[in-house]
Amino acid sequence: MSATILIVDDSATMRALVRGALEADRHAVVEAPNGEAALATLASMPTGVDLVITDVIMPQMDGLSLTRALRDDPRFAATPILVLTTEATPAQKERGRAAGATGWLVKPFHPDTLRRTVRQTLAERG
Amino acid sequence: MRLEKEILLHVGAVHASAEPAVIKTLLGSCVAVCLWDPAVRVGGMNHFMLPQGSSTGPLDDPARFGVHAMDRLVGEMLKLGSSPSRFVVKVFGGASVLAMPASGGHIPQSNVTFVREYLAREGLRVAAISVGGTLPRQLRFFTDTGRVLVRRVVALRTQERLFVRESEQRRIPGEFGDVTLFRGGRR
């Protein structure tokens, strides 16, 4: 199942790594360098996206603020959001869960693990 | 005389500070990147090497761990209120310490090539760079001023110890992070 996925990360290199992993599974990828840019990108896409993958620590708007903003918007309340971050403590993951994230992946990521998690998340969404 | 906190940075580590501190490290074939934001006087350093692998483009497998080392450093800097647009970037290391052809003489150069390509891709301009050569570098990075003192290490015993330690480190495969899927959370 191919999907449209938004990658939000301030590092162009990291976005390219994630894009490479997802395009190998024939997903269509759009990118944004921070939370504010992600909201602007989503606002310009009438059909939205199937999945958001976001970093946490970013300039302008961070990934957890983005997650909360999306959950407060009826259009994106049900869109799966995977957090992909260097942050790895249980307390940080709990903040992600409370913000409304669907899952939490700790960097560095293995491309196969990312693809498998994306497939599982899209399948559970139906 | 100021008494600043001193932090010794080992390979694989990252440290950033908003308080005046001296981050020290010893580099052979490894590389260290120092980032400094003059507006908020926040400084940080990482110290890493790419694990063994045949290729070192920024999107190749061994480089994933270099990308991770840079990602962690930038993240720690951002947490302390700095902005990438103000980063003063300095790069050190990549010496061919006691290099022998059988031990993979390209490794120091691979580390340096990776850092250069990564920084270019991220649009981060390098303000100062001291890489290559045959002598290890001892660094002292002052996080309140951004100043870096570099001393070449000529003591042969230190060079030998560093060479052994880095050779062992290079053989350790990098570890990937884990995955947590939240069930019954706010969906």
Side-chain angles (χ1 to χ4, degrees):
Chain A
M1 179 175 62
S2 89
T4 302
I5 300 174
L6 172 63
I7 304 169
V8 192
D9 200 303
D10 53 324
S11 161
T13 313
M14 191 62 74
R15 292 199 304 272
L17 280 174
V18 178
R19 173 188 280 274
L22 297 175
E23 285 182 342
D25 260 4
R26 300 182 179 279
H27 296 305
V29 173
V30 282
E31 298 182 17
N34 60 62
E36 280 180 12
L39 290 177
T41 299
L42 287 170
S44 72
M45 299 176 69
T47 56
V49 295
D50 301 300
L51 174 72
V52 175
I53 298 177
T54 182
D55 188 16
V56 172
I57 309 161
M58 294 180 287
Q60 276 87 39
M61 181 188 272
D62 69 58
L64 295 189
S65 301
L66 169 66
T67 301
R68 282 187 285 270
L70 293 178
R71 288 297 176 247
D72 287 342
D73 183 332
R75 280 210 304 152
F76 306 112
T79 304
I81 302 171
L82 295 175
V83 175
L84 178 62
T85 175
T86 54
E87 305 289 300
T89 68
Q92 287 157 338
K93 291 179 188 177
E94 175 52 32
R95 279 200 287 278
R97 194 198 60 76
T102 312
W104 191 280
L105 290 82
V106 177
K107 293 174 184 169
F109 70 91
H110 192 288
D112 292 343
T113 308
L114 178 69
R115 279 192 288 269
R116 195 166 55 241
T117 308
V118 164
R119 279 197 293 268
Q120 188 180 346
T121 303
L122 291 171
E124 284 182 11
R125 182 175 177 247
Chain B
M1 194 179 113
R2 291 181 306 177
L3 279 178
E4 289 152 326
K5 191 175 168 189
E6 293 202 344
I7 294 103
L8 181 62
L9 208 64
H10 295 290
V11 62
V14 170
H15 188 85
S17 178
E19 306 297 323
V22 185
I23 308 177
K24 304 192 300 182
T25 202
L26 179 63
L27 298 168
S29 64
C30 292
V31 287
V33 176
C34 299
L35 298 180
W36 188 60
D37 182 339
V40 290
R41 300 178 94 76
V42 167
M45 185 200 286
N46 61 11
H47 173 170
F48 67 97
M49 69 166 78
L50 305 185
Q52 276 176 340
S54 56
S55 183
T56 53
L59 301 182
D60 294 323
D61 265 352
R64 290 176 181 279
F65 298 97
V67 172
H68 183 59
M70 290 305 305
D71 199 41
R72 282 171 64 207
L73 174 60
V74 171
E76 292 305 311
M77 292 288 293
L78 293 182
K79 280 193 217 172
L80 296 174
S82 69
S83 169
S85 61
R86 297 190 297 255
F87 282 167
V88 176
V89 184
K90 299 182 182 181
V91 180
F92 304 93
S96 302
V97 181
L98 305 177
M100 291 167 282
S103 68
H106 67 282
I107 285 165
Q109 187 54 45
S110 302
N111 289 329
V112 173
T113 301
F114 164 77
V115 172
R116 284 184 188 275
E117 290 185 7
Y118 177 91
L119 293 171
R121 186 180 266 271
E122 298 295 327
L124 292 170
R125 204 169 52 82
V126 177
I129 183 162
S130 170
V131 295
T134 57
L135 294 177
R137 291 171 172 82
Q138 201 163 46
L139 304 189
R140 292 170 62 81
F141 174 40
F142 298 82
T143 63
D144 57 337
T145 62
R147 193 169 170 224
V148 184
L149 296 182
V150 187
R151 190 171 73 83
R152 304 299 170 94
V153 179
V154 291
L156 204 56
R157 280 192 54 188
T158 307
Q159 292 186 30
E160 285 168 353
R161 275 205 306 272
L162 188 61
F163 180 78
V164 170
R165 196 199 309 159
E166 288 192 345
S167 300
E168 287 169 355
Q169 189 70 33
R170 195 171 298 118
R171 283 192 289 272
I172 299 172
E175 285 186 16
F176 293 101
D178 60 4
V179 177
T180 309
L181 289 177
F182 303 122
R183 311 283 175 193
R186 191 184 151 189
R187 293 285 290 268

